[in-house]
Amino acid sequence: QIDMLLQNFDSEGTLLGSGARNRIKIFSYGEIQLNVKSFKVPNPVNRVVYRFFRKSKAERSFEYAHLLLKKGLHTPFPVAYAVEKSPLFFKNSFYVTEHLPYDLRYRDLVQQPEYPLREEIIRAFTRFTFELHEKGVEFLDHSPGNTLIQRKKKGYKFFLVD
């Protein structure tokens, strides 16, 4: 059960990256691998805001992923989201996706000026960004770590995450 992955998040799974704000772990789930993102617990004011007035980041990530897929754009397949709340406060939130194997992140291109075929990939990324705008998507968190790239026989495939 996915609930068990969330309950065991702190003690199981393989951590991806440093996780300064949020933590992402990979879990085996039957025949597939899942990524589980645990969002940072908000500050005291936002614990009330997210409890009563605003959707959690996990719920919004889940909804946006479905929207991207509906528009024909690529993102790791959204599986579930979960939130923990007390009667007065928002506590934790988790977003679960199928694990997506990728060859590089856009961050790799930003941090490594000598990356092989860097200019070619950046040009493809520019075309991808244009496609986003043509499909009415304004990806507000277009930070270097939120775009995964797969090499294909003809070009590249870009995936938005988060």
Side-chain angles (χ1 to χ4, degrees), residues 40-55:
K40 179 182 173 187
V41 176
N43 66 46
V45 171
N46 281 338
R47 285 184 210 161
V48 174
V49 170
Y50 282 119
R51 172 63 181 94
F52 295 104
F53 306 109
R54 190 162 188 206
K55 292 179 181 180

Side-chain angles (χ1 to χ4, degrees), residues 4-5 7-15 25-28:
M4 292 302 292
L5 298 180
Q7 289 174 11
N8 297 321
F9 184 84
D10 289 329
S11 61
E12 296 181 16
T14 303
L15 186 65
K25 287 188 169 185
I26 299 176
F27 290 87
S28 293

Side-chain angles (χ1 to χ4, degrees), residues 28-129:
S28 293
Y29 186 74
E31 298 289 317
I32 64 170
Q33 289 189 309
L34 297 175
N35 287 353
V36 179
K37 182 174 187 175
S38 173
F39 290 89
K40 179 182 173 187
V41 176
N43 66 46
V45 171
N46 281 338
R47 285 184 210 161
V48 174
V49 170
Y50 282 119
R51 172 63 181 94
F52 295 104
F53 306 109
R54 190 162 188 206
K55 292 179 181 180
S56 71
K57 290 181 179 183
E59 183 176 358
R60 287 181 286 154
S61 293
F62 183 80
E63 290 176 351
Y64 291 151
H66 280 286
L67 180 66
L68 290 171
L69 292 171
K70 187 181 278 189
K71 290 181 176 274
L73 297 164
H74 305 291
T75 189
F77 187 79
V79 174
Y81 73 91
V83 296
E84 296 175 354
K85 300 176 183 178
S86 73
L88 295 176
F89 298 105
F90 178 88
K91 292 183 173 182
N92 296 308
S93 64
F94 299 91
Y95 175 48
V96 183
T97 66
E98 286 187 7
H99 177 70
L100 176 77
Y102 60 91
D103 297 304
L104 69 147
R105 298 166 300 166
Y106 187 74
R107 169 177 286 139
D108 300 326
L109 300 174
V110 171
Q111 293 177 342
Q112 300 174 39
E114 302 302 318
Y115 194 92
L117 302 173
R118 181 176 188 262
E119 185 174 331
E120 177 182 318
I121 301 168
I122 290 174
R123 288 181 189 278
F125 175 77
T126 303
R127 290 189 295 275
F128 167 71
T129 302

Side-chain angles (χ1 to χ4, degrees), residues 64 68-69 71-76 100 104-106 109 119-150 155-162:
Y64 291 151
L68 290 171
L69 292 171
K71 290 181 176 274
L73 297 164
H74 305 291
T75 189
L100 176 77
L104 69 147
R105 298 166 300 166
Y106 187 74
L109 300 174
E119 185 174 331
E120 177 182 318
I121 301 168
I122 290 174
R123 288 181 189 278
F125 175 77
T126 303
R127 290 189 295 275
F128 167 71
T129 302
F130 178 75
E131 178 186 3
L132 288 178
H133 290 286
E134 288 293 298
K135 292 185 175 187
V137 174
E138 185 178 349
F139 193 61
L140 298 176
D141 196 9
H142 217 8
S143 62
N146 286 347
T147 303
L148 306 178
I149 306 168
Q150 290 179 341
Y156 303 91
K157 193 171 184 180
F158 296 90
F159 294 80
L160 299 177
V161 297
D162 202 28

